[in-house]
């Protein structure tokens, strides 16, 4: 009988896949990062417990094109500064990706709030423009011009916080208690330039980042970097505290609360 491709993989095939994924070379991306101070009450309002605000109400948008061989990827992240158990990092609200492969891995393994979207990173001489868009709405745009080179930072570690969960089958909450994930990224930078420009946030019912306005721009950079990441579960907790926030991950919040129709078998 011919191989049934949805059938079980052999141990050798599973082992080969694991080995290949553990030997990936450095993958470099070119991207724009903008950081600003926003409304402290707005930043606090989007943080599910047990995350807490930091000393500054910072917001960061990262918009990148990733040089995957034969599989170029656009990747974005819109995040707010957060702290948990003495660790400061970032809590992403939305992470647009241009390909399903990057979306599935991040959501199912780490709990990242990834969605399919459009990512733009353009440079014409000194002029730079980067944007994130979904449903035909360019909800974040960063624009400006290169104003000089910056010294390369030392390799650093950065932490992102994610909540990994599965909505309950009957629409009553979760199938199991959610977990809080600390995702640690080791980042190396090989090129960094300062951008003089601004950040534009546009209204979108699907991605309402305009609720986190630019009060004071901290800085915009254009750089080339490579990162790896490892996640670990640091806490399992009752889903009642998280339930009011899970609409952040879905375009139709009613869909995840719909139970089976009455009288269904």
């Amino acid at each position: 009988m011919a191989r049934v491709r949805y059938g079980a993989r052999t141990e050798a095939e599973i082992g080969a896949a694991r080995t290949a994924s553990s030997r990936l070379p450095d993958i470099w991306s070119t991207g724009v990062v903008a950081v600003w101070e926003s409304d402290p009450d707005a930043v606090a309002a989007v943080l599910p417990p047990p995350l807490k605000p930091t000393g500054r109400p910072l917001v960061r948008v990262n918009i990148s094109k990733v040089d995957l061989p034969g599989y170029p990827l656009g990747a974005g992240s819109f995040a707010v500064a957060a702290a948990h158990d003495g660790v400061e990092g970032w809590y992403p609200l939305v992470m647009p990706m241009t390909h399903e492969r990057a979306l599935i891995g991040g959501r199912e393994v780490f709990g990242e709030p990834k969605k399919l979207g459009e990512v733009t990173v353009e440079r014409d001489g000194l002029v730079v423009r980067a944007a994130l868009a979904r449903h035909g709405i360019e909800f974040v745009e960063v624009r400006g011009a290169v104003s000089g080179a910056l010294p390369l930072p030392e390799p650093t570690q950065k932490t992102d916080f994610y909540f990994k969960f599965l909505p309950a089958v009957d629409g009553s909450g979760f199938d199991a208690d959610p977990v809080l994930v600390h995702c640690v990224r080791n980042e190396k930078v090989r090129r960094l330039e300062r951008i003089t420009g601004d950040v534009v946030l546009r209204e979108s019912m699907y991605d309402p980042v305009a609720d986190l306005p630019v009060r004071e721009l901290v800085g915009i950079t254009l750089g080339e970097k490579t990162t790896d990441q490892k996640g670990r579960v640091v806490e399992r907790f009752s889903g009642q505290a998280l339930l009011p926030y899970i609409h952040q991950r879905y375009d139709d919040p009613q869909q995840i609360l719909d139970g089976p129709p009455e009288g269904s078998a």
Side-chain angles (χ1 to χ4, degrees), residues 32-34 36 59-64 74-80 90-97 112-114 119 132 139-140 160 162 185 209:
V32 171
V33 178
W36 64 91
V59 179
R60 181 194 68 187
V61 63
N62 190 331
I63 307 172
S64 300
S77 174
F78 188 102
V80 299
W90 297 92
Y91 173 59
L93 300 176
V94 62
M95 300 176 69
M97 300 284 132
E112 295 173 328
K114 290 184 173 180
V119 178
L132 300 176
F139 60 92
V140 181
D160 279 357
Y162 304 124
R185 290 184 167 83
V209 300

Side-chain angles (χ1 to χ4, degrees), residues 17 26 90 143 161 166 182 247 261:
D26 287 345
W90 297 92
R143 57 198 185 187
F161 304 114
L166 283 174
H182 284 200
H247 66 280

Side-chain angles (χ1 to χ4, degrees), residues 106-149:
R107 286 178 69 109
E108 296 188 5
V109 176
F110 294 101
E112 295 173 328
K114 290 184 173 180
K115 300 178 179 180
L116 286 175
E118 300 172 16
V119 178
T120 300
V121 179
E122 301 172 330
R123 178 171 183 172
D124 184 5
L126 297 179
V127 177
V128 175
R129 194 182 85 90
L132 300 176
R134 298 181 64 251
H135 299 289
I137 302 169
E138 201 169 74
F139 60 92
V140 181
E141 182 184 16
V142 182
R143 57 198 185 187
V146 175
S147 55

Side-chain angles (χ1 to χ4, degrees), residues 23-209:
R23 294 179 180 175
L24 289 175
D26 287 345
I27 298 174
W28 294 88
S29 65
T30 300
V32 171
V33 178
V35 178
W36 64 91
E37 284 197 8
S38 190
D39 184 306
D41 292 334
V43 171
V46 302
L47 293 176
L51 298 184
K52 297 179 179 179
T54 62
R56 295 179 72 186
L58 295 178
V59 179
R60 181 194 68 187
V61 63
N62 190 331
I63 307 172
S64 300
K65 287 295 182 77
V66 187
D67 297 329
L68 294 176
Y71 200 79
L73 170 70
S77 174
F78 188 102
V80 299
H84 173 254
D85 198 23
V87 177
E88 293 196 358
W90 297 92
Y91 173 59
L93 300 176
V94 62
M95 300 176 69
M97 300 284 132
T98 56
H99 293 305
E100 186 180 30
R101 181 178 179 183
L103 184 152
I104 290 174
R107 286 178 69 109
E108 296 188 5
V109 176
F110 294 101
E112 295 173 328
K114 290 184 173 180
K115 300 178 179 180
L116 286 175
E118 300 172 16
V119 178
T120 300
V121 179
E122 301 172 330
R123 178 171 183 172
D124 184 5
L126 297 179
V127 177
V128 175
R129 194 182 85 90
L132 300 176
R134 298 181 64 251
H135 299 289
I137 302 169
E138 201 169 74
F139 60 92
V140 181
E141 182 184 16
V142 182
R143 57 198 185 187
V146 175
S147 55
L150 291 170
L152 297 183
E154 293 295 321
T156 58
Q157 280 194 343
K158 298 180 179 179
T159 301
D160 279 357
F161 304 114
Y162 304 124
F163 292 96
K164 184 175 180 179
F165 59 83
L166 283 174
V169 173
D170 63 3
S172 64
F174 302 100
D175 278 333
D177 288 339
V179 296
L180 174 59
V181 175
H182 284 200
C183 185
V184 177
R185 290 184 167 83
N186 295 295
E187 181 179 287
K188 294 186 295 184
V189 179
R190 68 182 182 186
R191 183 175 181 179
L192 193 64
E193 295 173 292
R194 180 186 298 107
I195 302 295
T196 300
D198 60 1
V199 177
V200 179
L201 305 178
R202 297 187 178 89
E203 177 59 35
S204 169
M205 64 178 291
Y206 303 104
D207 303 288
V209 300

